[in-house]
Amino acid sequence: MSRYLINEKPSKLVGYSLPNRQALDFHSQLPGYTQAPLFSNHELAERLEIADLLIKFESSRFGLPAFKVLGASFAVRQWIQKYVDSSLEQTAGLAGLKNAIAGRDLTLVSATDGNHGRGVAWIARQLGVGAIIFMPSGTVISRIEGIRSEGADVRVIEGSYDEAVSRAAQLQNENTILIQDTSWEGYEEIPRWIVEGYSTMMWEIHDQLQHHQLSRPTHIFVPIGVGSLAVAVVNHFNSMQYPDPPRIIGVEPISAACALHAMEEGQTSPLEVCGPTIMAGLNCGTIASIALDPLQRGMDALIAIEDDWAIKAMRLLYQHNFSTSESGASSLAGVLALLEDQTLAHLKQYLEINQDSVILTLMTEGITDPTAFTEIIHGGK
Ligand SMILES: Cc1ncc(COP(=O)(O)O)c(C=O)c1O
């Protein structure tokens, strides 16, 4: 059974300044930059009985199979500008950054269940600095190898994702910089830059909608791990001040519904038990401290779903030529649950999802665990 939370926020459009393209300008200068595609899939829309289904497909960012590198790379850029070279030009690309840190003995450190750590390792390699990445026990070997392939020192610990984060945090010093995609009191500056880095995805969507003359979404479904990506969605779409802003719906695994828990409690306390879930990127027990306020102000609803919906979504997407993981399919899984799970009938009505709806799903990764992918698609799981 799914769970949900309706957030009747009174002040949706208050307190947001117009978004800027700074992160997109930075990313577009990096080697290998291309927009992640935005698809409009009428066949799937027909199957879901809505007007259009938009899919932002993040299966290849700078050759990595997920969106996360957008955050890590921009945060490192901002850190260098603030703490190493304040005269760094806004237009400085990789060469400018390398110049700024030349002669410094830097290492980037982070914790991850896969994608973020690979992004940190990637930018470290681009800059010619070291990377140490902590991972929780039980991480599948393909995700570990993916990060090692970027040249990072990967340390798999006996413990959860939250414990991996605290191990990474302990290593911080003036030469070892923690680049973490979650936040807590006293550690919020870099996570905010990471959220800003994700704005590249939002500006691409904006430009792609215009370029392909597509209707703006009436609803956006975003997967939630610690909530940083959801903050980027809320910040962007509320700041654009559209007369008819889209409804924003967060999707979490029911066993790791840390945002739903935080919104219910009104504070960022951790879940007592977290996981297991096949949606590995969303298996987080504590929402980021910088996420709660924006989500309370800008999120319309949260849905917590069982793993079976992710399997169903992966299979459906595969039939329509999209190969994605359990986490990647989770936003569509949320749509399927909303349309088909009777326990969500009231929410569906509240969100006014009908034949006029244009739903945007953020499909945040490609295939990161080929074994699980094959088992799910070919029916073994
Ligand atoms: C594939 C994928 N999708 C979505 C998310 C959720 O992002 P966040 O943790 O910022 O909520 C993650 C997080 O690692 C992820 O790996």
Side-chain angles (χ1 to χ4, degrees), residues 67-68 113 115 198 223-229 281-282 327 364-365:
F67 75 101
K68 281 259 150 182
D113 39 32
N115 294 321
Y198 298 155
I224 296 191
V226 297
S228 300
L229 174 63
L282 314 186
S327 303
T364 46
E365 75 179 352

Side-chain angles (χ1 to χ4, degrees), residues 111-114 133-140 144 155-165 280 283:
T112 188
D113 39 32
I133 309 294
F134 288 89
M135 301 190 82
S137 60
T139 306
V140 295
I144 298 171
R155 302 183 187 175
V156 181
I157 62 151
E158 280 305 317
S160 66
Y161 169 79
D162 285 1
E163 283 159 317
V165 172
N283 193 6

Side-chain angles (χ1 to χ4, degrees), residues 95-374:
L97 295 181
K98 278 167 112 164
N99 238 351
I101 57 171
R104 276 196 65 151
D105 176 24
L106 275 186
T107 301
L108 308 182
V109 61
S110 192
T112 188
D113 39 32
N115 294 321
H116 169 70
R118 193 156 174 191
V120 172
W122 183 87
I123 188 67
R125 189 155 66 101
Q126 301 299 316
L127 294 172
V129 304
I132 302 172
I133 309 294
F134 288 89
M135 301 190 82
S137 60
T139 306
V140 295
I141 195 76
S142 55
R143 292 201 174 93
I144 298 171
E145 291 305 329
I147 299 176
R148 285 209 174 112
S149 73
E150 303 296 335
D153 169 0
V154 179
R155 302 183 187 175
V156 181
I157 62 151
E158 280 305 317
S160 66
Y161 169 79
D162 285 1
E163 283 159 317
V165 172
S166 72
R167 289 285 296 279
Q170 283 162 23
L171 280 196
Q172 294 182 89
N173 61 42
E174 70 210 33
N175 291 324
T176 306
I177 314 306
L178 180 68
I179 305 293
Q180 199 55 60
D181 58 343
T182 189
S183 64
W184 52 89
E185 219 187 307
Y187 181 77
E188 295 191 332
E189 185 171 50
I190 286 174
R192 282 187 207 283
W193 287 328
I194 288 177
V195 168
E196 282 174 37
Y198 298 155
S199 69
T200 288
M201 195 201 297
M202 309 311 143
W203 278 115
E204 286 181 358
I205 292 168
H206 172 89
D207 295 345
Q208 288 166 319
L209 289 171
Q210 285 191 343
H211 183 75
H212 300 294
Q213 297 182 337
L214 294 164
S215 302
R216 260 196 279 117
T218 54
H219 299 80
I220 303 177
F221 283 70
V222 51
I224 296 191
V226 297
S228 300
L229 174 63
V231 173
V233 173
V234 162
N235 282 351
H236 182 87
F237 285 92
N238 284 341
S239 313
M240 296 303 282
Q241 302 189 354
Y242 295 125
D244 49 351
R247 307 279 196 104
I248 302 173
I249 300 108
V251 182
E252 301 184 281
I254 198 150
S255 58
C258 62
L260 198 145
H261 173 71
M263 299 261 283
E264 277 173 350
E265 301 280 310
Q267 56 177 347
T268 59
S269 56
L271 291 171
E272 263 171 43
V273 186
C274 175
T277 170
I278 59 171
M279 292 173 257
L282 314 186
N283 193 6
C284 306
T286 318
I287 191 180
S289 60
I290 58 167
L292 184 58
D293 176 60
L295 298 195
Q296 280 172 329
R297 287 195 291 152
M299 186 63 74
D300 290 87
L302 292 171
I303 307 179
I305 55 167
E306 306 272 2
D307 285 352
D308 282 354
W309 292 107
I311 294 176
K312 206 170 171 182
M314 276 175 79
R315 290 184 180 152
L316 183 61
L317 285 163
Y318 186 69
Q319 286 163 12
H320 292 266
N321 300 319
F322 294 100
S323 294
T324 185
S325 71
E326 301 86 325
S327 303
S330 60
S331 51
L332 183 66
V335 178
L336 293 180
L338 190 63
L339 298 180
E340 294 172 16
D341 184 342
Q342 276 315 307
T343 56
L344 299 179
H346 170 67
L347 179 63
K348 180 184 170 204
Q349 201 182 18
Y350 171 80
L351 291 171
E352 298 174 301
I353 294 194
N354 54 43
Q355 71 279 7
D356 297 325
S357 302
V358 175
I359 296 184
L360 167 64
T361 53
L362 303 185
M363 211 191 290
T364 46
E365 75 179 352
I367 301 173
T368 48
D369 179 357
T371 311
F373 176 80
T374 307

